[in-house]
Amino acid sequence: MSVVSVPFNQHKLSNRKPFLQVLAALMLSTALMLLSPSGAFATSISSIPSWEVASEFNDSANPSGVWSYCTKPSTLAAPCSLLSNQYLYPPYPTDIIGWTDPNFTVTIIHNVHPTPFTNSNYNFPITLPAHAIWLSPGASGQYAVLRFTAPAKGTYKVSGQFYALDGTDYINGQYHYWDSTDVEIVKNSSTIVFSSNIDYLYGAKWTSFTSKTVTLKAGDTLDFQVGYGNGNNNFDATGLNAVIEKIK
């Protein structure tokens, strides 16, 4: 594994995981209630086996438990190549950390802080919610993929949201680029469980998947993936909240 940018003190989340899982579930519920048109979304915290993408993000090992961070060339492509380079986001190498490919075309990174963090390096700053995950697709259509591998046979419930991180308004008499991506959840690289689009300019600033149920065998995969939508990956940073529960 190679590292991009300067050395840093790695931010491992394992010691904070129980607290962060509860915190992430509460944040997911609150965020979806605030962002969805109806405001009707609730997340219950229970003792059933569950996994949450943000609190379990690992910026020092890939794969990590049920999660892997990878890229693939098309929607239903079977191979998903692990992102092998650790990415320290300049100029915030200890604040926004994650994974990229050897050519730095696809990135999956996250805010390491338990509070929102603003990347003010650009003309149009991006504010990442606490522990938010940021997926950016490649310029040639490569997907940024966060893959869940089922640890056991059963029925799994998936709830969450993809949301735009890039986006601005009419500024100084000029329109600027907005987030425009295609987003999917794909089972075993063959079955589309959920499909939608983020298009900030036309008002689609988020898209939610609530209580999707899938039957999985041990080793089956669910890919949460982001593509470049309109054929251009400029300003395509897309966030992901997701909770997976094994209900049977």
Side-chain angles (χ1 to χ4, degrees), residues 94-195:
T94 60
D95 301 298
I96 304 175
I97 304 171
W99 298 96
T100 187
D101 60 275
N103 297 315
F104 317 119
T105 55
V106 173
T107 55
I108 302 177
I109 53 184
H110 76 134
N111 170 16
V112 304
H113 301 293
T115 55
F117 180 83
T118 299
N119 163 22
S120 57
N121 190 44
Y122 295 114
N123 292 330
F124 311 111
I126 294 175
T127 295
L128 294 172
H131 296 299
I133 293 177
W134 164 345
L135 297 93
S136 289
S140 299
Q142 306 98 315
Y143 281 82
V145 182
L146 204 158
R147 172 170 284 186
F148 171 83
T149 300
K153 179 180 179 180
T155 301
Y156 293 77
K157 182 173 73 172
V158 183
S159 300
Q161 181 184 74
F162 292 95
Y163 57 96
L165 286 169
D166 270 321
T168 187
D169 295 314
Y170 189 72
I171 297 176
N172 297 329
Q174 250 181 326
Y175 284 108
H176 300 273
Y177 289 105
W178 290 268
D179 203 326
S180 178
T181 56
D182 62 283
V183 294
E184 297 88 21
I185 302 173
V186 179
K187 174 183 173 181
N188 290 337
S189 300
S190 60
T191 304
I192 296 177
V193 175
F194 173 82
S195 179

Side-chain angles (χ1 to χ4, degrees), residues 30-95:
T30 302
L32 289 173
M33 288 177 68
L34 290 174
L35 292 174
S36 65
S38 64
F41 185 91
T43 299
S44 61
I45 301 172
S46 68
S47 60
I48 65 175
S50 64
W51 301 266
E52 196 279 323
V53 294
S55 66
E56 297 177 24
F57 192 95
N58 192 324
D59 48 46
S60 61
N62 184 22
S64 174
V66 298
W67 303 110
S68 52
Y69 315 105
C70 56
T71 182
K72 58 187 184 182
S74 62
T75 306
L76 297 178
C80 196
S81 302
L82 289 177
L83 299 176
S84 57
N85 288 59
Q86 196 173 53
Y87 186 73
L88 314 182
Y89 182 76
Y92 306 107
T94 60
D95 301 298

